[in-house]
Amino acid sequence: MKGCLVATTNPLVAPASPVAASPRRPLAIAAVRLDPASRLGAWQLRNAAATIPHCIGQLEEAGNLDNFRRVIGESEAEWRGFWFADSDVYKTIEAVAWEIARTGTTDFDSWLADVIGLVARVQETDGYVMTWIQGVHPEKRFAELDWTHEMYVLGHMVQAAVALARAGRTDLLDLAVRFVDLVDATFGPGADKVGYCGHPELETALVELYRHTGERRHLDLARHQVDHRGSGLLKVGSLGARYFQDHAPVRESQSAVGHAVRQLYLNAGVTDLVLEEGDESLLVAMRAQWDSAHHRKMYITGAFGSRHRDEAFGDDYELPSDRAYAETCATIADLHWNWRMYLAEGGARYAETNERELHNALAASLDETGTRFFYSNPLQLRPDRYSEESAPRERTPWYACACCPPNIARVFAQLSGYVASVDGEALALHLYTACEIDLPEALGGGTVAVRTSYPDDGRVEVAGPAGLGLALRIPTWAAGATLDGAPAAPDADGYARVSLGEGPLVLDLPMAPRWTRANHRVDAVRGCVALERGPQVYCVEQVDLPDGIRLDDVVVDPSTPPRGSYGGLEIAVTPRQEVGPLYGPRSAVPTGETVTVRAVPFHTWGNRASGAMRVWLPTI
Amino acid sequence: MKGCLVATTNPLVAPASPVAASPRRPLAIAAVRLDPASRLGAWQLRNAAATIPHCIGQLEEAGNLDNFRRVIGESEAEWRGFWFADSDVYKTIEAVAWEIARTGTTDFDSWLADVIGLVARVQETDGYVMTWIQGVHPEKRFAELDWTHEMYVLGHMVQAAVALARAGRTDLLDLAVRFVDLVDATFGPGADKVGYCGHPELETALVELYRHTGERRHLDLARHQVDHRGSGLLKVGSLGARYFQDHAPVRESQSAVGHAVRQLYLNAGVTDLVLEEGDESLLVAMRAQWDSAHHRKMYITGAFGSRHRDEAFGDDYELPSDRAYAETCATIADLHWNWRMYLAEGGARYAETNERELHNALAASLDETGTRFFYSNPLQLRPDRYSEESAPRERTPWYACACCPPNIARVFAQLSGYVASVDGEALALHLYTACEIDLPEALGGGTVAVRTSYPDDGRVEVAGPAGLGLALRIPTWAAGATLDGAPAAPDADGYARVSLGEGPLVLDLPMAPRWTRANHRVDAVRGCVALERGPQVYCVEQVDLPDGIRLDDVVVDPSTPPRGSYGGLEIAVTPRQEVGPLYGPRSAVPTGETVTVRAVPFHTWGNRASGAMRVWLPTI
């Protein structure tokens, strides 16, 4: 099972090594066609029509492409952006690549030819290409791995190249492999020194490269970097070795710590190794990491990283709503990791987490037009909060550190890939959305149609070849779910396993709104409840409160069930009428008149007015 | 009222300008002799015996003095520390100066001669002296005021010089005035450009210099800097103009924002100007600033700054216990500012705040030996929190950025100065502590003796010349306070005004422990109570819990009154016995057996074992 197979089927993360022999296999991106009227489908279309072109425009506006041109004298511009700005170019190419894989579009061909041609001209004869080093600090080449992000940039180059190759275009792959070969010769298993990047990313990219090329040396280089990480090679700054996960060997690192995006990209790469090599010691570490990140450090919106200072995971249960850093890229990295963990060992928790992330933190990271973005996704906005560069009060078209927007573009382009998979003899459905799915030969071919307006509604109809095995994910919040009217009984993995009959199968997921509480150790939201319905987290915005009532002063009564549908739930709130001193023998109690206000899906917040917002609502 | 008066009486902040004509005047440092057995007295003695010598040793160890020597070829050492490390030298000199003023000690004379001689040799002919610029980056001289801290360093040089001059030694003053003159010529009222420092500090120092020299140009330079601050002259980095209070003119800045130490030093300087010039528009701004800082942004321990990223004040009511940055220097800066606000307009709230700060945040910033320090003073330590450079889990002997330890040394050396003042015809007592106070001529001379073991006990005896007017601060928590057995009735300013009789007057302050709640807008501690007794905030440490009960899992019942005395209060806690999921329909409730545990004064935490700690205790 070498390159040729995956090159023609372009799935997300198809394990290539015989050792893996997993019953869980991804489908080709093009095999899942999202209904344009569904939420996921509409998001994917908006991505193609608005977000990707916006990113392409911004790469020119913000100077990312000039950064390449100036190296070879094709531009007089000053260097602009962060030193790893090349990665934004590669992420945008990757987004385009998945669009081509998905739809066969030729709209981007000339842009791709221009940009890849530019990269080729900038690449040095030994394969090196990173414009900040080449054009600004040549003396730092491979000299400050803790900060330079050279291998991080290469990682995104490789991911873009592999995605493009799977879509049938290999010119970038040739360039990427040359740079990989240089890194391999410099820091690989045969080199006289070890080196890995301050920002993990190359690891997962190398395994994907191996899946495409079938070249063992690409997998070996990934393993070499993972095996050595944590040996303290990186120069430690004021943020400590945890910041870039160099404080302990991967196999001994049980907690998700440091820069959240780095930890989660690293975990995706490590899990890729597990998929290819079945390394049990790595899988054990990944399970501990997963529990740490998801059972003690995840925001209810599916976001990660509670600290601004070092963009880091907090301590266990340190999950403040107001200072949630909750970087969009961390959620994206986790989505990638979850998909790999599912492939490695199955279990509905991975897709349930992805669904939470998609419908909340990720969906909130851009506006309705798909051209304005949040880098940071807090769960509370205080009325007087002032904007910070990476955490503005309102979504903005681009960022000085623009990692998030093109990352959003590539993940929405990939979206169809996370909907379903082959699971042994069955088709597994992970994300419910209206779509058509072409079945692979292994499942007998044919097409499955999913009809639903989920998550607006909980009814999901699945129609397809009679006798087809289905594994339908039953969300943990969906107690009382039914299949054709009978109780849906998920197996230990969280999937209900059935066979399709002649007519459509009907899965009914109860969508009553529910009040959710956090663990008592989450000090930040003690005495509060969050409102959820299906996979959707809600919030209340100041704009929906009557004049004279301030969001920070209201109390909800969770014994009153909320009413309404997807777009808005009605809840009763009672205002406090005094503010009171900062500290004293008692706190103010709600004495105002109870009013009904609307709670809106979290991902829609900030689209109407700039004002206070809360996910967690006080009950006392 | 020029220099000669203050030079012989060495008070803290004696307004010099006739316009001020305040009825409130500080006493000379040496006029208040703290009882060595009292808490404040013991702290001051420990400071002289341990902290100051420790700082002197560290200045050598950490390279601060070598940084001077290397400029003039007296050392081969590399530059060490942060670029503003000279300020640590000046703060230590200032601590020594107040010790000399207080006790007349000659123990430090040869050290002073050495260090001041060194400074003199390093000073350039035009008056400039800042070793990082001189020895490492001469091209940055006055070129990057946003970051270089040159005037900040000068400010500490001036403060040290003035304190030393008040103690009778003027060699450093001569050097400082030369540097001030250079700044005046470069950026002063007569210069062709305006300049102020990214880190406020020089402003308050210049007014103190004016008080000593009587030279109007020193006051004018301070006003010039305050008048222009906020005009956006400083180059804005990723932390924004608020970071160094350059986002708005001082008179328009109503909220305490940005780097907390900078804002509070600035406010001290602005209030110094108010004291000298009676500028009502500045006083109005300072009142708004004071309310912002103390009514919406102060931790219950008297600490400030909830954010690690930019060492900044948070938004209103953003006061997380676990991520409290709560820099020691911010509390010290606020103590200075409060004293000036008291002198400007009276009111017991200023001294009440200072008492809260002294007995809690400040006292907690060092250990029992006076040689290990906290830079950051959180109100909660989670069991898994890992140390950060400026926020270690345990107190450390020094810091890479060592601003706090010598700042602690100078403020404990000044301590006697905050105990009492002249208030019109009366002696005002602000901090209760056993001491003797020499009355100034204006109050008829003689000595007042204060006998008390406060805050261990609430009984305070005051004896002195019959007929002496007293203004005794009645803390807001001391409902039921009595004076010679009769209800103590404070005036609108919060002071009870009485005349001394022949025998001692007895003030009795009720010291029953009390449960305190935070304002409902402080999301971080909703559903929690803090335990206070007198001015003392308490905390619970893991080390005082029975085996098997984790601090994060206990609940207190505030309907049960705590019992005990100063050193330990007994409270009942009930453990939760399940941890439960991160999010779900309910939180775990306490079902374990209720046990009695000890709460200890917050300032003693971390002295016995490194473990979890909480000030705010959950009630739900």
Side-chain angles (χ1 to χ4, degrees), chain A residues 116-136:
Chain A
I116 296 170
L118 179 59
V119 173
R121 293 196 297 286
V122 171
Q123 186 168 41
E124 299 185 8
T125 52
D126 65 359
Y128 192 92
V129 53
M130 168 147 166
T131 68
W132 184 74
I133 297 285
Q134 293 172 274
V136 184

Side-chain angles (χ1 to χ4, degrees), chain B residues 78-101:
Chain B
E78 287 295 298
W79 172 270
R80 282 191 286 163
F82 275 71
W83 57 99
F84 45 84
D86 295 1
S87 59
D88 301 336
V89 176
Y90 298 127
K91 281 192 234 176
T92 305
I93 293 176
E94 189 186 339
V96 165
W98 293 116
E99 271 306 296
I100 297 173

Side-chain angles (χ1 to χ4, degrees), chain B residues 144-378:
Chain B
E144 298 178 14
L145 298 184
D146 49 327
W147 276 107
T148 53
H149 286 55
E150 288 153 289
M151 292 190 241
Y152 166 83
V153 168
L154 172 58
H156 281 299
M157 183 186 191
V158 168
Q159 287 187 328
V162 169
L164 211 49
R166 286 177 180 158
R169 175 169 190 145
T170 58
D171 47 357
L172 186 62
L173 188 72
D174 297 338
L175 310 183
V177 167
R178 289 179 55 208
F179 195 0
V180 167
D181 287 345
L182 175 65
V183 168
D184 198 11
T186 312
F187 299 118
D192 54 5
K193 62 186 164 190
V194 175
Y196 43 84
C197 188
H199 199 313
E201 156 65 24
L202 181 58
E203 299 81 356
T204 185
L206 284 170
V207 181
E208 280 280 84
L209 181 62
Y210 159 72
R211 288 173 186 141
H212 188 79
T213 64
E215 299 283 354
R216 182 82 207 176
R217 72 180 194 282
H218 298 146
L219 186 64
D220 289 345
L221 179 56
R223 198 187 54 245
H224 191 65
Q225 299 212 333
V226 167
D227 283 347
H228 286 86
R229 192 167 203 96
S231 52
L233 284 181
L234 299 173
K235 186 182 163 202
V236 177
S238 65
L239 302 177
R242 278 176 184 79
Y243 175 69
F244 35 42
Q245 294 79 41
D246 199 29
H247 61 297
V250 168
R251 289 173 177 80
E252 295 167 21
S253 182
Q254 308 275 307
S255 296
V257 295
H259 190 284
V261 178
R262 297 178 200 229
Q263 177 77 72
L264 294 167
Y265 276 154
L266 175 62
N267 292 357
V270 171
T271 308
D272 274 324
L273 278 179
V274 170
L275 283 169
E276 298 305 331
E277 307 201 303
D279 185 327
E280 183 68 16
S281 64
L282 288 179
L283 181 58
V284 166
M286 287 301 99
R287 287 187 191 126
Q289 279 280 334
W290 203 88
D291 288 349
S292 168
H294 299 87
H295 295 165
R296 300 189 292 279
K297 301 193 179 191
M298 183 181 75
Y299 283 100
I300 192 172
T301 54
F304 301 89
S306 52
R307 298 183 179 181
H308 280 237
R309 177 169 173 268
D310 42 4
E311 309 185 286
F313 283 106
D315 300 324
D316 286 350
Y317 305 105
E318 179 196 323
L319 293 164
S321 291
D322 48 2
R323 288 298 281 173
Y325 192 66
E327 184 181 342
T328 302
C329 288
T331 292
I332 292 171
D334 194 61
L335 200 127
H336 288 165
W337 181 32
N338 281 323
W339 185 245
R340 287 157 175 79
M341 286 297 284
Y342 160 74
L343 292 176
E345 59 175 10
R349 62 187 173 283
Y350 302 116
E352 180 156 326
T353 307
N354 273 358
E355 186 177 54
R356 178 176 291 278
E357 294 173 3
L358 269 172
H359 285 279
N360 298 289
L362 187 60
S365 73
L366 70 178
D367 73 346
E368 292 163 320
T369 71
T371 60
R372 297 175 73 87
F373 311 93
F374 275 135
Y375 186 113
S376 169
N377 295 278

Side-chain angles (χ1 to χ4, degrees), chain B residues 421-483:
Chain B
S421 68
V422 174
D423 184 354
E425 306 295 305
L427 177 74
L429 289 181
H430 307 296
L431 303 179
Y432 295 113
T433 183
C435 64
E436 287 184 340
I437 302 172
D438 290 340
L439 294 170
E441 290 305 317
L443 296 183
T447 299
V448 165
V450 181
R451 287 190 192 84
T452 181
S453 58
Y454 181 93
D456 299 38
D457 183 83
R459 181 184 168 92
V460 182
E461 284 184 26
V462 184
L468 174 69
L470 290 176
L472 301 170
R473 183 174 64 83
I474 309 298
T476 55
W477 47 259
T482 60
L483 269 171

Side-chain angles (χ1 to χ4, degrees), chain B residues 354-423:
Chain B
N354 273 358
E355 186 177 54
R356 178 176 291 278
E357 294 173 3
L358 269 172
H359 285 279
N360 298 289
L362 187 60
S365 73
L366 70 178
D367 73 346
E368 292 163 320
T369 71
T371 60
R372 297 175 73 87
F373 311 93
F374 275 135
Y375 186 113
S376 169
N377 295 278
L379 284 73
Q380 176 184 7
L381 191 76
R382 294 182 186 277
D384 64 322
R385 202 192 83 179
Y386 53 84
S387 286
E388 295 171 276
E389 191 167 284
S390 58
R393 284 178 65 94
E394 300 172 51
R395 296 177 184 87
T396 68
W398 207 244
Y399 286 87
C401 173
C403 50
C404 298
N407 221 358
I408 292 168
R410 70 173 181 142
V411 81
F412 276 110
Q414 295 172 340
L415 213 53
S416 352
Y418 301 107
V419 168
S421 68
V422 174
D423 184 354

Side-chain angles (χ1 to χ4, degrees), chain B residues 77-144:
Chain B
E78 287 295 298
W79 172 270
R80 282 191 286 163
F82 275 71
W83 57 99
F84 45 84
D86 295 1
S87 59
D88 301 336
V89 176
Y90 298 127
K91 281 192 234 176
T92 305
I93 293 176
E94 189 186 339
V96 165
W98 293 116
E99 271 306 296
I100 297 173
R102 187 173 75 79
T103 66
T105 177
T106 57
D107 290 355
F108 303 104
D109 284 1
S110 70
W111 181 77
L112 280 175
D114 285 351
V115 174
I116 296 170
L118 179 60
V119 173
R121 293 196 297 285
V122 171
Q123 187 169 40
E124 299 184 8
T125 52
D126 65 358
Y128 192 93
V129 53
M130 168 146 165
T131 67
W132 184 73
I133 296 286
Q134 294 172 274
V136 184
H137 283 291
E139 79 285 2
K140 291 187 193 290
R141 181 175 152 145
F142 291 147
E144 298 178 14

Side-chain angles (χ1 to χ4, degrees), chain A residues 237-239 242 257-258 293-301 307-310 312-320 322-323 356 380 382 384-390 515-528 532 550 552-554 576 578-588 614 616 618-620, chain B residues 237-239 242 257-258 293-301 307-310 312-320 322-323 356 380 382 384-390 515-528 532 550 552-554 576 578-588 614 616 618-620:
Chain A
S238 64
L239 301 177
R242 279 177 183 78
V257 295
H294 298 87
H295 295 164
R296 300 189 293 279
K297 302 194 178 192
M298 183 181 75
Y299 284 100
I300 193 172
T301 54
R307 298 183 178 181
H308 280 237
R309 176 170 174 267
D310 42 2
F313 283 106
D315 299 323
D316 286 351
Y317 305 105
E318 179 196 323
L319 293 163
D322 48 3
R323 289 297 282 173
R356 178 176 291 277
Q380 176 184 6
R382 294 182 185 277
D384 65 322
R385 203 192 82 179
Y386 54 85
S387 285
E388 295 171 275
E389 191 167 285
S390 58
W515 294 111
T516 298
R517 290 182 184 270
N519 190 289
H520 65 271
R521 290 180 180 168
V522 183
D523 292 280
V525 296
R526 190 183 312 284
C528 291
E532 297 184 282
R550 199 173 119 138
D552 283 348
D553 294 337
V554 303
R576 293 175 174 90
E578 59 167 333
V579 178
L582 185 52
Y583 304 109
R586 63 177 198 86
S587 300
R614 293 187 74 109
W616 290 98
T619 63
I620 56 169
Chain B
S238 65
L239 302 177
R242 278 176 184 79
V257 295
H294 299 87
H295 295 165
R296 300 189 292 279
K297 301 193 179 191
M298 183 181 75
Y299 283 100
I300 192 172
T301 54
R307 298 183 179 181
H308 280 237
R309 177 169 173 268
D310 42 4
F313 283 106
D315 300 324
D316 286 350
Y317 305 105
E318 179 196 323
L319 293 164
D322 48 2
R323 288 298 281 173
R356 178 176 291 278
Q380 176 184 7
R382 294 182 186 277
D384 64 322
R385 202 192 83 179
Y386 53 84
S387 286
E388 295 171 276
E389 191 167 284
S390 58
W515 294 112
T516 298
R517 289 183 185 269
N519 189 289
H520 65 271
R521 289 180 180 169
V522 183
D523 292 280
V525 297
R526 190 184 310 285
C528 292
E532 296 186 282
R550 201 173 119 140
D552 282 349
D553 294 336
V554 303
R576 291 175 174 92
E578 60 166 331
V579 179
L582 185 51
Y583 304 109
R586 64 177 198 86
S587 300
R614 294 187 73 112
W616 290 97
T619 63
I620 56 170

